[in-house]
Amino acid sequence: PGPPAAAAPVDRRKKRMIKNRESASRSRARKQAHVTQIESEVHQLREENEQLRLKYDQVGTPPPASSFFSFLFLGAS
């Protein structure tokens, strides 16, 4: 009965190492999926921002925020 008892902690350690490796792999996969989703969102927002800039350039009027800030800092005209 001596050797099997000594092997049990080694088996538990190996199982724990395998489970840890699998868990780490799942964690990396989740992180990669998250990063990919964020990169996609950044791309979409950059495109939207560019479209808004083009639209703004076509209109040629300052956005309402700048008028508001002019009012605050320069006073009513």
Side-chain angles (χ1 to χ4, degrees):
V10 174
D11 288 344
R12 275 187 258 144
R13 183 171 176 247
K14 284 184 180 180
K15 285 181 183 180
R16 188 173 69 243
M17 287 175 60
I18 291 168
K19 284 187 175 190
N20 183 268
R21 191 173 294 130
E22 291 169 349
S23 176
S25 178
R26 286 190 304 271
S27 178
R28 287 190 297 273
R30 281 192 308 270
K31 181 178 180 180
Q32 182 60 47
H34 184 65
V35 167
T36 300
Q37 186 269 328
I38 289 174
E39 287 173 341
S40 175
E41 189 175 342
V42 165
H43 179 73
Q44 184 268 326
L45 290 170
R46 283 185 174 157
E47 286 183 352
E48 182 181 349
N49 194 25
E50 180 61 24
Q51 292 301 316
L52 290 170
R53 285 180 192 272
L54 291 172
K55 192 174 184 179
Y56 168 75
D57 289 344
Q58 289 174 353
V59 173
T61 58
S66 66
S67 298
F68 176 72
F69 287 120
S70 294
F71 175 77
L72 283 179
F73 295 112
L74 302 176
S77 299

